[in-house]
Amino acid sequence: MSDLPIRKVLFISADQWRAECLSAVGHPAVKTPHLDRLAAEGVLFRRHYAQTSPCGPSRTSMLTGMYLMNHRSGRNGTPLDRRHTNIALEVRKAGYDPTLFGYTDTSPDPRYHAPDDPVLKTYEGVLPGMTVGLQLPDHMAPWIADLKAKGYQFRDRWDVYKPRADFVRPPGRGHSYAPTLFSAEDSETNFMGNAVLRWLSVRRDEPWFVHAVFLRPHPPIIAPEPYNALYDPATLAMAVRATSAEEEGCQHPFLKLALASLREKGAYDEHYPHDHLEIDEAEVRQLRATYYAMITQVDDQIGRLMAHLKETGEDRHTLVIFTCDHAEMLGDHWLWGKTSYFDQAYHIPLIIRDPRRAADGTRGTQIDRFTEAVDLMPTILEWLGRDIPHQCDGRSLLSFLEGAPLPHWREEAHFEFDFQDIAHQIPETTLGIASDQCRFAALRGRRFKYVHFAALPPLLFDLEQDPFEQTNLAEDPAHAGTMLACAQKMLSWRMEHAEHVLSRMFITENGIVEQAPRRR
């Protein structure tokens, strides 16, 4: 680190961003020029996966370096055990004051709070150790207050995202083409960018650690002008799905349940304009167009942040990471959101720009190895010269940035999901299994993907022949050997990564001895 007298970290996370939605990886429509430039100056990881969904659990894995099976905070609102450390607590040991802009959706450990403590009435808590620069929880109160101060008339967040009432949609455009009531300049995306830039403006000559979390492209799927008109839905690829939602649901009982949960939301909610299973092709294309527009708006704000770093010269000292918590189904398999076992909900972007001279040889490269959200905490800590806690299930990616990838790197990605909330929301489609059985784990290799349910049938997909996971081969006798091999790999993965904080320690006559981890 001798070439970096001052070290800074800009850790950017978006919400619900699909991995292929970058022009740097060849998306036929989406334009992300600022992230493309970041990728040209750093390294893009093409096979990067979230560990779980939704927002709270996935961010917990990313910020603790732990798989869901170890941190156990599996739903929005499931408490995070206070004994676990995290990236904020660890960088504090290095003298940093980690500052959050946005949210982490961390549910606190209730054993350390009085029953009436307000922190126990929301799942949108702040990760322990984080200093709040700007908190934007679900109610978005700071941003809405800013809008009201500018003369906008809103009652609450849900009013804020209603489309302009006087807007006349042109022919061929769907519901979500209508723009927001607020301008792009006054949007929550710009509000976030402005807050980070104000904070940075007085910290040019000091080390800092910023975690900037942009809400978009998370629903509601609506964009301000001129972004709303950026993409023509008629030119976009249609979602990949079966002929009907009923046919789609025949693949697996969980998928049938997930689809039923969308219909249960009714004809209108804050995220989508219709009964989710009745959205016609024109509306699907429009929703995809607006989703892409929200991505481009976030890209523009990232461009502002990077321009500031270049203008001040801080880019020469700053590790920049861009990723997100999980992805979005976007109509594929008739699904919206992230409640699924399909890749579209877990395959996410990752770009890392390392300013060190040691990383000069890899600038502009794209890595095709499997990486996971749990790798980010070890990467940041190693870059800062800090020890990596034993709890971390991930591995540092610094070797990839230096052009010397480690031997014995993982050959699959892994993700898990806790679905007991939706399993009990819809009694008429009950799965007949206990709450603790409402879980699955997925092993995603280059060719085969295996999904194991605690109490439901497994799934197997041949991704070379069936990249969109439309044909389940789990009951095909010809693939019995593959099923067994995948199940054994998953069992070995779980055995290797079961919580091991104390298991590497030995009490001897000379005191505590610790054994260093050796992970594949």
Side-chain angles (χ1 to χ4, degrees):
M1 301 295 177
S2 58
D3 58 326
L4 297 180
I6 299 177
R7 284 171 272 168
K8 308 167 186 266
V9 177
L10 177 57
F11 183 7
I12 303 171
S13 173
D15 198 319
Q16 222 147 308
W17 190 310
R18 288 166 63 123
E20 81 272 14
C21 290
L22 296 168
S23 38
V25 299
H27 194 283
V30 177
K31 303 302 178 187
T32 52
H34 303 292
L35 285 172
D36 294 353
R37 190 173 304 116
L38 185 67
E41 297 174 357
V43 174
L44 186 150
F45 294 82
R46 296 189 67 116
R47 292 183 182 267
H48 189 64
Y49 282 79
Q51 253 54 75
T52 185
S53 72
C55 302
S58 60
R59 293 182 189 279
T60 295
S61 283
M62 181 168 64
L63 298 172
T64 64
M66 301 174 74
Y67 289 130
L68 171 59
M69 64 178 175
N70 288 328
H71 67 68
R72 307 302 289 177
S73 181
R75 293 170 292 162
N76 285 338
T78 305
L80 175 61
D81 195 316
R82 183 171 161 177
R83 66 193 169 94
H84 300 314
T85 189
N86 62 58
I87 186 63
L89 294 173
E90 292 302 312
V91 301
R92 281 190 173 278
K93 298 175 183 177
Y96 290 84
D97 182 17
T99 304
L100 170 69
F101 293 84
Y103 53 95
T104 61
D105 286 348
T106 306
S107 299
D109 190 331
R111 297 170 295 183
Y112 297 88
H113 298 274
D116 291 330
D117 190 325
V119 301
L120 299 183
K121 300 183 186 301
T122 175
Y123 70 84
E124 296 179 297
V126 175
L127 186 77
M130 282 287 185
T131 293
V132 176
L134 170 68
Q135 187 178 6
L136 282 181
D138 200 46
H139 55 69
M140 306 291 281
W143 170 54
I144 292 176
D146 181 70
L147 291 176
K148 288 186 174 182
K150 293 175 178 176
Y152 290 95
Q153 300 297 315
F154 297 120
R155 185 182 60 204
D156 54 29
R157 178 196 173 183
W158 309 122
D159 275 355
V160 134
Y161 286 116
K162 288 181 179 176
R164 265 179 40 198
D166 62 342
F167 186 79
V168 178
R169 282 188 286 125
R173 297 287 186 160
H175 177 95
S176 68
Y177 179 77
T180 58
L181 295 163
F182 50 83
S183 68
E185 183 179 355
D186 295 332
S187 67
E188 82 279 32
T189 305
N190 276 41
F191 185 70
M192 260 287 300
N194 291 340
V196 177
L197 287 170
R198 280 195 300 269
W199 190 92
L200 292 176
S201 69
V202 293
R203 291 170 172 83
R204 175 175 177 174
D205 299 320
E206 62 187 72
W208 45 255
F209 183 108
V210 167
H211 185 32
V213 183
F214 287 93
L215 170 67
R216 301 315 210 145
H218 188 288
I221 297 184
I222 185 171
E225 293 181 306
Y227 292 97
N228 67 310
L230 201 55
Y231 298 100
D232 182 355
T235 66
L236 303 179
M238 179 55 182
V240 177
R241 57 187 190 176
T243 305
S244 67
E246 289 71 25
E247 179 185 341
E248 193 80 59
C250 291
Q251 184 181 92
H252 194 271
F254 170 79
L255 180 54
K256 182 178 180 180
L257 173 73
L259 291 166
S261 73
L262 294 181
R263 193 180 295 279
E264 187 75 7
K265 291 184 179 180
Y268 184 91
D269 71 4
E270 68 274 13
H271 289 177
Y272 303 100
H274 306 292
D275 181 320
H276 297 182
L277 300 187
E278 299 297 335
I279 303 176
D280 63 26
E281 181 173 332
E283 289 288 358
V284 169
R285 291 180 186 275
Q286 181 63 67
L287 284 164
R288 291 165 82 91
T290 308
Y291 174 85
Y292 298 155
M294 295 190 295
I295 281 175
T296 298
Q297 188 182 12
V298 174
D299 180 76
D300 284 344
Q301 293 306 304
I302 293 171
R304 293 178 66 202
L305 298 181
M306 293 307 301
H308 170 82
L309 296 183
K310 290 183 185 299
E311 289 167 6
T312 61
E314 291 172 277
D315 62 319
R316 298 193 298 269
H317 312 288
T318 305
L319 177 72
V320 181
I321 297 174
F322 168 74
T323 189
C324 77
D325 54 353
H326 50 70
E328 158 68 50
M329 290 305 300
L330 208 60
D332 288 332
H333 298 279
W334 292 83
L335 291 168
W336 298 91
K338 55 271 187 180
T339 300
S340 84
Y341 45 73
F342 297 111
D343 271 17
Q344 291 93 330
Y346 300 93
H347 189 198
I348 56 176
L350 174 63
I351 300 171
I352 303 178
R353 181 191 181 277
D354 183 346
R356 296 176 305 142
R357 289 192 295 269
D360 286 348
T362 61
R363 302 197 189 283
T365 61
Q366 298 188 7
I367 302 297
D368 195 45
R369 305 299 297 272
F370 284 105
T371 59
E372 300 178 331
V374 292
D375 296 330
L376 296 185
M377 180 173 166
T379 300
I380 294 170
L381 292 177
E382 184 179 9
W383 191 83
L384 292 174
R386 305 300 299 179
D387 291 335
I388 298 170
H390 286 329
Q391 77 173 34
C392 288
D393 293 310
R395 300 175 70 184
S396 170
L397 302 175
L398 235 55
S399 60
F400 288 106
L401 305 180
E402 296 170 350
L406 295 172
H408 309 301
W409 192 260
R410 69 175 71 91
E411 295 298 327
E412 299 91 11
H414 315 83
F415 51 85
E416 306 165 86
F417 188 65
D418 181 330
F419 56 91
Q420 58 183 304
D421 52 350
I422 65 167
H424 297 296
Q425 284 175 0
I426 311 173
E428 68 271 19
T429 57
T430 180
L431 296 172
I433 59 179
S435 292
D436 287 344
Q437 295 175 319
C438 293
R439 295 180 175 87
F440 69 71
L443 184 79
R444 203 285 189 198
R446 289 182 179 271
R447 178 175 180 183
F448 290 103
K449 176 176 175 179
Y450 173 68
V451 186
H452 185 92
F453 286 80
L456 295 173
L459 292 147
L460 180 71
F461 301 104
D462 183 341
L463 300 172
E464 288 184 1
Q465 303 298 320
D466 177 28
F468 290 102
E469 304 171 56
Q470 295 173 300
T471 304
N472 177 21
L473 302 173
E475 297 183 5
D476 184 346
H479 288 88
T482 301
M483 284 284 291
L484 177 60
C486 287
Q488 290 174 330
K489 281 185 179 181
M490 181 173 288
L491 178 59
S492 296
W493 165 69
R494 293 185 69 87
M495 292 175 69
E496 180 181 353
H497 289 280
E499 188 178 358
H500 38 57
V501 172
L502 296 179
S503 65
R504 297 196 186 100
M505 295 182 181
F506 302 90
I507 296 177
T508 72
E509 60 184 10
N510 297 318
I512 292 290
V513 175
E514 293 192 42
Q515 179 180 359
R518 296 178 62 187
R519 298 209 189 98
R520 294 178 67 85

